Amino acid sequence: MRILITNDDGINAPGLEALADIAAEIAGPAGEVWTVAPAFEQSGVGHCISYAHPTLIAELSPRRWAAEGSPADCVLAGVGDIMAAAPPDLILSGVNRGNNAGENVMYSGTVGGAMEGALQGIRSIALSQYLGPATARLADPFESARVHGPGVIRALLERADWGEGEDFPLFYNVNFPPVSAAETRAPRATTQGRRQGVRFAVKPQVAPNGRRFLWVTGGGQDAPAGAGSDVEALLGGHVAVTAMRPDLTCAAATARLGALWDGA
């Protein structure tokens, strides 16, 4: 199996090193793992692509490339140029430093990389490690993802629905809980939740030269969300697996919307 890995934390991020180990286990001795990751951190860029300017890419070592762009740019570079002669069978994005559950999904470059992979017609999975006091005490804070990641990926590849043949194929968002590998509980199929009362905001700050800047701030990650959600599963120590599709249409609202013009 040929696997392309990327992330949004940057080419030197420890989570990418963990993902390389996971990918190597999935690819097997006869497989290949290729890395195309951002040269610098790209957290929070979502599914952004560098449409208005070119992306500089550089080969750092065999099968390891850095791109001055977003995770989606990296996927485009991997599929359309670096691996164009033999495209990947699987794209893995992560392992993100921090959870990409709930409202975080909408901003996540990690999820954006997997979404672009799905749009390119390649099976794609985003992986993120929720961090907290328990993981801070571990020698490897990505332990849960590193130990349980291969099993989750194999299960998805062997038995999951990928929406093949549909206009918008599926991809998967996998989050590992903020506990050790031994304390990690079984995966749960989840919906994307919304943490109660949590929103991104801005905090103004005036620099010594008098210029005004805004820092983006987030909310508490331990706020509750609805039953069956990714947030609920993670707070309960479970691996959260969410099936996603790059389609923002609300079917229920569309049906109601049609009534506005009935008889017109």
Side-chain angles (χ1 to χ4, degrees):
M1 177 178 287
R2 290 165 60 82
I3 301 177
L4 170 62
I5 67 172
T6 191
N7 72 346
D8 72 359
D9 289 325
I11 189 72
N12 295 314
L16 188 64
E17 180 182 344
L19 184 60
D21 292 341
I22 293 169
E25 186 171 338
I26 297 296
E32 296 178 357
V33 177
W34 292 69
T35 300
V36 185
F40 309 102
E41 183 171 353
Q42 295 286 310
S43 296
V45 301
H47 189 219
C48 168
I49 56 172
S50 298
Y51 185 72
H53 59 83
T55 300
L56 176 66
I57 60 173
E59 185 175 13
L60 305 181
S61 59
R63 300 179 189 165
R64 189 169 185 266
W65 293 70
E68 289 190 350
S70 69
D73 287 330
C74 292
V75 171
L76 288 170
V79 174
D81 180 53
I82 296 166
M83 302 178 71
D89 304 300
L90 173 68
I91 294 174
L92 301 176
S93 183
V95 175
N96 190 68
R97 179 173 51 87
N99 78 88
N100 277 312
E103 64 288 337
N104 295 353
V105 170
M106 305 307 298
Y107 304 91
S108 169
T110 303
V111 173
M115 184 183 298
E116 184 57 42
L119 288 170
Q120 294 295 323
I122 299 169
R123 293 184 175 189
S124 300
I125 303 171
L127 302 103
S128 302
Q129 175 65 65
Y130 197 149
L131 301 178
T135 56
R137 293 191 292 267
L138 299 172
D140 177 11
F142 295 90
E143 180 185 289
S144 179
R146 196 187 294 269
V147 172
H148 297 282
V152 173
I153 294 169
R154 287 193 183 98
L156 291 173
L157 292 175
E158 293 169 5
R159 300 191 296 276
D161 176 14
W162 289 90
E164 291 163 343
E166 300 180 19
D167 288 342
F168 288 99
L170 297 173
F171 65 99
Y172 287 88
N173 185 30
V174 179
N175 282 271
F176 298 91
V179 296
S180 69
E183 296 171 302
T184 297
R185 302 172 71 184
R188 281 187 174 175
T190 60
T191 59
Q192 180 187 343
R194 177 71 187 271
R195 294 179 178 90
Q196 297 175 18
V198 173
R199 292 179 177 83
F200 281 88
V202 292
K203 181 179 180 180
Q205 185 178 56
V206 178
N209 62 5
R211 295 180 183 271
R212 183 178 175 86
F213 293 86
L214 297 176
W215 292 94
V216 175
T217 63
Q221 296 298 287
D222 58 352
S229 69
D230 47 10
V231 174
E232 181 195 52
L234 289 168
L235 293 178
H238 292 272
V239 179
V241 183
T242 311
M244 295 189 164
R245 173 173 277 137
D247 175 7
L248 301 181
T249 304
C250 176
T254 300
R256 296 191 297 269
L257 184 65
L260 293 178
W261 294 281
D262 283 350

